[in-house]
Amino acid sequence: TVAVETLALGIPLVEIDLENHGVLESLSSQGVATSVQGGELDKLDDMLDGKIKLDAGVVSKWKERNLGPLDGKSTQRVVEELERLIV
């Protein structure tokens, strides 16, 4: 998803819920996104100004647990695994 790619690239992530209904699979509740609800659009400016920052350690642990290595070698690992399974 766009959210996962955003986190993988190290771009700050915002969950926008303008009607305050909640987010089905919230990443802000996991500490890797900033929640913006109805009436809180000023948070976007604060985030862009660097006034709102997430805990880098929490984000790093989330990425490690959910994305695995971000070394650009995922295709190589898939090919190697397929070759292992075929042989």
Side-chain angles (χ1 to χ4, degrees):
T1 68
V2 172
V4 173
E5 288 183 27
T6 298
L7 290 168
L9 294 171
I11 299 169
L13 178 62
V14 178
E15 278 182 352
I16 299 176
D17 178 18
L18 297 179
E19 297 178 359
N20 301 326
H21 289 302
V23 176
L24 183 60
E25 292 184 35
S26 175
L27 292 172
S28 64
S29 67
Q30 298 177 49
V32 296
T34 300
S35 175
V36 173
Q37 298 184 352
E40 297 182 328
L41 291 177
D42 56 324
K43 277 187 174 181
L44 293 174
D45 286 331
D46 290 343
M47 201 172 151
L48 292 171
D49 290 339
K51 295 176 185 173
I52 297 177
K53 294 186 180 182
L54 299 173
D55 183 322
V58 171
V59 174
S60 179
K61 286 180 184 177
W62 187 94
K63 287 167 62 172
E64 184 179 318
R65 183 175 62 249
N66 292 281
L67 301 177
L70 297 175
D71 57 6
K73 297 180 182 180
S74 59
T75 302
Q76 179 182 342
R77 283 190 289 276
V78 169
V79 169
E80 288 171 358
E81 187 64 18
L82 289 172
E83 288 174 341
R84 186 187 70 76
L85 291 171
I86 293 171
V87 174

